[in-house]
């Protein structure tokens, strides 16, 4: 046992030292059982888990005693007869012994282990078997007790089973009845769910019926939802009734089945008709409620200053379209209410003014007719715009394609017709007071320009109203009558003014040639009228339209002025022969032309005046030419040189004798040195200098042509002048026509003439 305590490394070293000096005995040593056993032990591998576990078990079983003398496990062993006998001994517990006792204790334990291993193991197994037997004995007792309890339970279960069987036998009919009732209950529940779904789909709930019929529930979203459901029920009912009448009935094999099918069909048809009747009555109640509510709200709109339309009101009017007779009656109430309200507001604006006195009452401006009429028409136009906006919001009319100020198209839709009709009805009450006041204002005017301004203002609002409410509206017809009246009064005023102008006489003692004061005042009135007309144009009129719009006024204003100018000038000329009638007429015509010229729509009348001016200019040129010839001393000679002015040669005529001709040429030479060549005192009285220059220049041209003709006649042999060239060359311009053109400042026009 002491060899077992030696470590394998030490034993191997000793074996190597013992075998090293005896190499010749290796074969005999290999046959030694001890050597074989020793090699086997030394060569064994103790790294596997099973071996380590066995060694750990042996170490626990034969653990060395502890120093404190604690007793180890007690192992009962069967010893030899001569040594041990049947006794128990104490074994160490395996604690580490002190260093001095470790080697001795380990050797004893190993020796005991080799000697008693089998016995100790068998003893351990026997002890364990006895413990198992003891435990199984207890288990067996418990199992016996359990077996008894199970037997008792089986007996009780058999009794219960017997009683249950008897109970089932006794209650079988009741269970069958309960089963049939359960099936009927399920069928009733299915039918109830179907009926509930049908009623919820085809009838109104109590709250919905109250929303339609009760006055406590106001018109609103709940009411409209109930109406929608009623209308949907009505439509679904019609669809179902139509389907039941058009679809073929299912085939049946017996007469009883045919009768049941017909009864079911009759009941379904009757139910559908009843639902339709009930729904129709409910819808009629709903429409009647909407009608009464709309009438009440429309009456309230006359009391409220605001004209805001709520979504509820808009929806109510939309739904009331399904009953046109109710809608028209409600709209009649609205029209009457708005008519009364607008009339009251218009009278307040005329007499009381706005809130707090601002704006001031319109009647306060009655002394200013243009402002008075303009304020009334502006108030009416503003009221119409607000009324139309309110009605468009009420009916949901929105015309996004219409430009601001563009003419409205009436009758395109039913809503547009309603808006136009209601607007006309609302402002119908304003026509009477407006017409009376405008008529009084127009008829009381004495000034033609004021009458024209009022007529033009009324015509402007007439066009605006026709675009807004249509030509057939009463207000449009009223404004049309007022426009005709205003223009009638205006035309009467300007005709009277023209007649009074014709009765104006020129002062015979006045030597002036300027336009008379009556013409100046008359032209000033005409200028103001043209300014008013031009300001009223939109800018898109055609030329013919421009001319036609003011043609009558020009005829009634300009023609009397022209007639008065010509007739009175002739009369004054007769009374005062020395008065310059031609210059007076030209000055007056030029003034009228200047008044008309800035305006594009006076083209036709300017042409008439210009024609008269051209005729008078030609007449003045002739008169000025004769005056210049007389002043220059060539009048008699020119008359003698004219065809038919003499009998025989020119030198034998009194004016053509050499001495008379010499005197005429000398006088003409002196005239060329005077101021009359440059300007004429008579023409200086013309207000338009361009006309004066034109007349003087034309007269000088004719004088130059006359001098040229005289020179030609003098140089002709048949006129029997002995020294005609010498006679002409004795005085300026020395018989040179080109020089005369230069003296007159007409060299450019006379540049094409041939010097003679």
């Amino acid at each position: 046992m002491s060899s077992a305590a030696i470590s394998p490394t030490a034993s191997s070293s000793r074996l190597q030292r013992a075998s090293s000096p005896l190499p010749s005995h290796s074969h005999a040593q290999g046959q030694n059982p001890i050597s074989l056993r020793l090699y086997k032990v030394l060569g064994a591998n103790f790294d596997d888990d099973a071996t380590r576990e066995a060694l750990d078990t042996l170490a626990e079983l034969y653990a060395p005693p502890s120093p404190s003398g604690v007793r180890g496990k007690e192992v009962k062993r069967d010893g030899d007869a001569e040594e041990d006998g049947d006794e128990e001994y104490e074994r160490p517990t395996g604690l580490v012994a002190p260093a001095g006792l470790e080697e001795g204790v380990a050797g004893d334990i190993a020796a005991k282990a080799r000697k008693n291993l089998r016995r100790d193991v068998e003893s351990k197994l026997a002890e364990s078997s006895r413990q198992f037997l003891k435990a199984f004995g207890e288990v067996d007792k418990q199992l016996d007790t359990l077996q008894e309890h199970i037997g008792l339970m089986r007996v009780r279960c058999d009794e219960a089973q017997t009683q249950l069987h008897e109970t089932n036998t006794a209650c079988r009919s009741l269970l069958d009845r309960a089963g049939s009732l359960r099936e009927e209950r399920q069928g009733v529940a299915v039918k109830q769910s179907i009926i509930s779904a049908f009623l919820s789909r085809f009838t109104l709930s109590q709250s919905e019926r109250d929303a339609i019929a009760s006055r406590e529930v106001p018109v609103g979203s709940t009411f409209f939802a109930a109406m929608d459901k009623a209308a949907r029920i009505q439509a679904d009912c019609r669809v179902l009734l139509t389907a039941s009448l058009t679809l073929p009935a299912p085939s049946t094999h017996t007469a009883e089945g045919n009768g049941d099918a017909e009864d079911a069909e009759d009941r379904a048809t009757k139910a559908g008709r009843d639902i339709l009747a009930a729904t129709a009555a409910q819808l009629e109640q709903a429409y009647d409620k909407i009608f009464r509510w709309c009438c009440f709200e429309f009456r309230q709109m006359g009391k409220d200053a605001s004209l805001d339309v709520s979504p509820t009101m808009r929806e109510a009017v939309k739904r009331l379209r399904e009953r046109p007779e109710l809608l028209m009656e409600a709209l009649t109430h609205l029209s009457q209410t708005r008519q009364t309200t607008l009339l009251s507001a218009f009278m307040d604006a005329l007499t009381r003014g706005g809130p707090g006195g601002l704006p001031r009452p319109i009647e306060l401006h009655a002394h200013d007719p243009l402002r008075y009429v303009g304020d009334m028409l502006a108030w009416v136009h503003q009221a119409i715009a607000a009324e139309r906006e309110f009605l468009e919001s009420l009916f949901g009319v929105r015309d996004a394609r219409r430009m601001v100020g563009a003419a409205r198209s009436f009758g395109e839709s039913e809503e547009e017709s309603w808006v136009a009709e209601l607007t006309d009805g609302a402002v119908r009450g304003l026509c009477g007071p407006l017409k009376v006041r405008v008529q009084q204002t127009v008829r009381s005017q004495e000034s033609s320009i004021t009458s024209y301004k009022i007529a033009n203002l009324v015509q402007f609002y007439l066009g605006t109203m026709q675009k807004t409410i249509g030509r057939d509206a009463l207000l449009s017809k009223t404004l049309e009558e007022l426009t005709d009246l205003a223009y009638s009064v205006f035309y009467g005023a300007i005709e009277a003014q023209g007649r009074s102008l014709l009765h104006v006489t020129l002062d015979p003692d006045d030597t002036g040639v300027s336009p008379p004061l009556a013409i100046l005042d008359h032209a000033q009135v005409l200028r103001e009228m043209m300014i008013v007309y031009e300001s009223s144009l939109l800018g898109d009129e055609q030329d013919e339209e421009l001319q036609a719009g003011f043609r009558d006024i020009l005829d009634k204003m300009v023609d009397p002025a022209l007639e008065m100018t010509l007739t009175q000038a002739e009369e004054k000329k007769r009374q005062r022969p020395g008065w310059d009638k031609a210059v007076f007429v030209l000055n007056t015509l030029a003034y009228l032309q200047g008044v008309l010229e800035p305006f594009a729509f006076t083209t036709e009348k300017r042409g008439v005046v210009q024609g008269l001016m051209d005729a008078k200019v030609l007449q003045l040129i002739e008169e000025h030419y004769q005056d210049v010839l007389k002043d220059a001393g060539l009048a008699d000679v020119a008359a003698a040189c004219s065809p038919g002015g003499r009998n025989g040669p020119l030198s034998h005529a009194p004016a053509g004798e050499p001495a008379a001709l010499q005197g005429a040429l000398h006088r003409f030479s002196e005239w060329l040195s005077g101021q009359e060549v440059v300007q004429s005192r008579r023409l200086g009285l013309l207000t338009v200098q361009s006309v004066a220059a034109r007349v003087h220049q034309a007269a000088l041209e004719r004088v130059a042509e006359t001098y040229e003709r005289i020179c030609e006649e003098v140089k002709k042999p048949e006129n029997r002048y002995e020294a005609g060239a010498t006679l002409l060359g004795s005085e300026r311009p020395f018989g040179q026509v080109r020089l005369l053109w230069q003296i007159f400042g007409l060299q450019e026009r006379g540049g094409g003439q041939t010097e003679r």
Side-chain angles (χ1 to χ4, degrees):
M1 192 63 189
S2 62
S3 61
I6 301 172
S7 63
T9 306
S11 301
S12 178
S13 299
R14 288 194 299 267
L15 288 174
Q16 288 178 0
R17 286 195 302 270
S19 61
S20 296
L22 299 173
S24 59
H25 301 285
S26 58
H27 180 69
Q29 217 173 14
Q31 297 297 325
N32 190 350
I34 297 174
S35 299
L36 294 175
R37 183 63 179 175
L38 183 59
Y39 283 122
K40 185 176 181 180
V41 171
L42 294 177
N45 186 8
F46 301 103
D47 293 336
D48 58 292
D49 295 337
T51 304
R52 286 184 175 274
E53 186 177 359
L55 293 177
D56 291 338
T57 303
L58 290 177
E60 292 177 0
L61 186 61
Y62 297 102
S66 60
S68 58
V70 179
R71 294 174 63 91
K73 293 183 180 179
E74 293 182 357
V75 181
K76 187 176 181 180
R77 299 176 298 178
D78 295 332
D80 296 337
E82 65 274 15
E83 294 180 356
D84 300 320
D86 293 330
E87 64 180 359
E88 295 181 356
Y89 70 95
E90 294 181 359
R91 184 173 59 84
T93 61
L95 296 175
V96 180
L101 300 177
E102 181 180 358
E103 184 176 355
V105 174
D108 294 339
I109 291 173
K112 290 179 181 180
R114 285 193 299 272
K115 182 177 180 181
N116 301 322
L117 178 59
R118 182 182 296 275
R119 187 186 60 187
D120 291 341
V121 171
E122 291 176 355
S123 176
K124 188 68 173 177
L125 291 175
E127 183 180 358
S128 299
S129 298
R130 285 192 296 273
Q131 292 178 355
F132 273 110
L133 289 175
K134 184 178 178 180
F136 282 131
E138 294 294 332
V139 171
D140 185 59
K141 291 179 182 180
Q142 297 294 331
L143 290 175
D144 292 340
T145 304
L146 180 62
Q147 182 66 29
E148 293 176 1
H149 291 169
I150 290 173
L152 292 175
M153 290 176 63
R154 183 178 294 109
V155 173
R156 295 294 184 270
C157 288
D158 292 340
E159 293 176 356
Q161 182 67 26
T162 302
Q163 292 178 0
L164 182 61
H165 180 69
E166 293 175 355
T167 303
N168 286 335
T169 303
C171 298
R172 185 177 302 279
S173 60
L174 183 61
L175 291 176
D176 293 339
R177 178 61 178 167
S180 62
L181 291 177
R182 189 181 300 110
E183 292 177 357
E184 291 179 3
R185 180 182 178 182
Q186 292 177 354
V188 170
V190 172
K191 292 179 181 179
Q192 184 179 4
S193 62
I194 293 174
I195 293 173
S196 299
F198 179 82
L199 292 177
S200 63
R201 179 68 181 273
F202 288 94
T203 58
L204 297 178
S205 63
Q206 184 61 40
S207 60
E208 292 170 340
R209 289 194 296 272
D210 292 340
I212 289 177
S214 176
R215 294 187 177 184
E216 301 297 330
V217 181
V219 175
S221 58
T222 304
F223 173 78
F224 293 137
M227 278 194 69
D228 292 337
K229 185 175 181 181
R232 186 173 63 252
I233 290 172
Q234 198 174 47
D236 293 344
C237 245
R238 289 195 181 98
V239 172
L240 292 178
L241 287 176
T242 304
S244 64
L245 293 175
T246 55
L247 293 178
S251 60
T252 55
H253 300 286
T254 61
E256 183 180 358
N258 291 333
D260 294 340
E262 291 178 358
D263 292 341
E265 183 177 355
D266 292 340
R267 287 194 298 270
T269 303
K270 184 177 183 302
R273 291 174 180 173
D274 293 342
I275 292 174
L276 277 178
T279 307
Q282 292 167 349
L283 285 177
E284 289 301 324
Q285 288 181 345
Y287 286 121
D288 185 66
K289 184 175 181 178
I290 292 178
F291 167 71
R292 287 185 279 104
W293 182 80
C294 286
C295 291
F296 175 77
E297 292 295 327
F298 289 159
R299 292 190 186 97
Q300 294 299 318
M301 286 181 179
K303 302 177 183 179
D304 300 336
S306 176
L307 288 178
D308 295 335
V309 179
S310 64
T312 303
M313 172 63 71
R314 190 180 300 111
E315 182 67 21
V317 172
K318 179 180 178 182
R319 291 176 182 272
L320 207 57
R321 296 180 190 177
E322 300 295 330
R323 298 294 185 271
E325 64 281 357
L326 296 179
L327 178 60
M328 296 310 298
E329 186 175 353
L331 294 180
T332 302
H333 289 290
L334 175 62
S335 178
Q336 294 174 354
T337 303
R338 294 306 304 159
Q339 181 178 348
T340 304
T341 303
L342 288 180
L343 179 58
S344 176
F346 182 58
M347 298 306 297
D348 289 343
L350 289 173
T351 58
R352 300 176 59 184
L358 293 176
R360 301 178 67 186
I362 299 177
E363 295 285 357
L364 292 179
H365 305 291
H367 63 280
D368 185 356
L370 190 62
R371 180 175 180 181
Y372 180 54
V373 175
D375 287 349
M376 287 191 295
L377 293 175
W379 192 96
V380 172
H381 178 258
Q382 183 178 4
I384 289 176
E387 195 71 19
R388 185 171 183 87
E389 183 179 358
F390 158 69
L391 293 174
E392 287 179 349
S393 178
L394 181 65
F395 292 109
V397 178
R398 287 291 181 270
D399 191 1
R401 297 174 296 177
R402 177 181 172 272
M403 301 295 293
V404 177
R408 297 182 182 274
S409 55
F410 302 97
E412 289 187 352
S413 62
E414 187 178 14
E415 293 82 0
E416 189 66 35
S417 301
W418 288 341
V419 170
E421 183 178 354
L422 289 175
T423 305
D424 181 27
V427 300
R428 184 180 296 269
L430 306 179
C431 297
L434 179 67
K435 183 176 181 180
V436 171
R437 285 166 173 77
V438 174
Q439 284 178 346
Q440 292 176 350
T441 304
V442 169
R443 288 171 178 167
S444 63
Q445 298 308 309
E446 298 179 357
S447 172
S448 59
I449 182 61
T450 304
S451 298
Y452 179 66
K453 289 181 178 179
I454 293 176
N456 197 48
L457 179 64
V458 176
Q459 185 181 20
F460 168 75
Y461 275 102
L462 170 62
T464 303
M465 295 304 176
Q466 287 177 346
K467 294 178 181 179
T468 305
I469 59 178
R471 296 180 178 273
D472 297 331
L474 180 60
L475 181 61
S476 297
K477 295 179 179 179
T478 302
L479 290 178
E480 188 174 359
E481 294 177 3
L482 292 176
T483 302
D484 295 339
L485 174 64
Y487 273 108
S488 175
V489 172
F490 165 66
Y491 284 131
I494 61 176
E495 287 174 358
Q497 183 176 343
R499 289 192 299 269
S500 64
L501 185 63
L502 292 176
H503 291 89
V504 174
T505 58
L506 299 178
D507 186 5
D509 298 332
D510 186 9
T511 59
V513 292
S514 299
L517 183 60
I519 294 294
L520 296 178
D521 294 341
H522 189 77
Q524 183 62 30
V525 173
L526 176 61
R527 179 184 287 109
E528 292 184 12
M529 291 180 185
M530 290 187 292
I531 292 174
V532 172
Y533 177 73
E534 187 179 36
S535 64
S536 66
L537 297 176
L538 299 177
D540 56 350
E541 295 86 357
Q542 300 295 328
D543 184 66
E544 179 60 30
E545 186 179 358
L546 283 176
Q547 302 288 337
F550 207 72
R551 183 180 291 120
D552 293 341
I553 300 176
L554 287 176
D555 292 341
K556 288 178 171 53
M557 291 293 291
V558 177
D559 291 349
L562 296 177
E563 184 179 355
M564 176 266 179
T565 300
L566 297 177
T567 56
Q568 293 301 318
E570 188 68 29
E571 180 66 21
K572 186 173 181 179
K573 182 67 174 178
R574 187 180 59 81
Q575 296 178 2
R576 191 182 183 92
W579 180 66
D580 198 342
K581 172 188 130 180
V583 174
F584 168 77
V585 172
L586 275 177
N587 285 340
T588 305
L589 294 178
Y591 177 74
L592 293 175
Q593 185 77 340
V595 172
L596 298 175
E597 189 173 4
F599 304 97
F601 48 85
T602 60
T603 305
E604 295 179 358
K605 190 57 67 176
R606 289 204 312 267
V608 174
V609 176
Q610 187 64 41
L612 292 175
M613 287 184 64
D614 292 341
K616 294 302 178 181
V617 166
L618 293 177
Q619 181 181 351
L620 184 59
I621 290 174
E622 182 64 27
E623 293 179 0
H624 186 55
Y625 164 67
Q626 297 296 335
D627 293 342
V628 170
L629 282 181
K630 290 179 181 180
D631 294 341
L634 298 179
D636 295 338
V637 179
C641 293
S642 62
R646 67 183 184 279
N647 294 321
L650 179 61
S651 60
H652 295 172
E657 294 179 354
L661 181 60
Q662 180 69 32
L665 292 176
H666 177 72
R667 187 177 176 184
F668 181 61
S669 176
E670 290 179 349
W671 181 82
L672 290 177
S673 301
Q675 293 292 330
E676 292 293 328
V677 177
V678 179
Q679 60 182 1
S680 172
R681 285 178 296 177
R682 181 188 183 189
L683 297 181
L685 298 176
L686 289 173
T687 56
V688 182
Q689 292 302 314
S690 60
V691 175
R694 174 187 171 190
V695 171
H696 189 59
Q697 195 174 44
L700 292 179
E701 288 179 2
R702 294 187 63 181
V703 169
E705 293 173 355
T706 301
Y707 179 77
E708 182 181 5
R709 188 168 65 252
I710 292 173
C711 292
E712 291 176 352
E713 293 294 332
V714 170
K715 292 179 181 180
K716 288 181 179 180
E718 58 267 21
N719 287 323
R720 299 178 183 181
Y721 284 99
E722 294 181 357
T726 303
L727 182 63
L728 293 174
S730 62
E731 299 290 342
R732 293 176 63 197
F734 314 111
Q736 298 180 11
V737 178
R738 182 175 183 181
L739 178 60
L740 182 59
W741 283 94
Q742 292 177 357
I743 293 173
F744 288 162
L746 305 174
Q747 63 273 19
E748 294 183 0
R749 298 188 62 183
Q753 299 289 338
T754 303
E755 183 178 351
R756 299 180 184 180

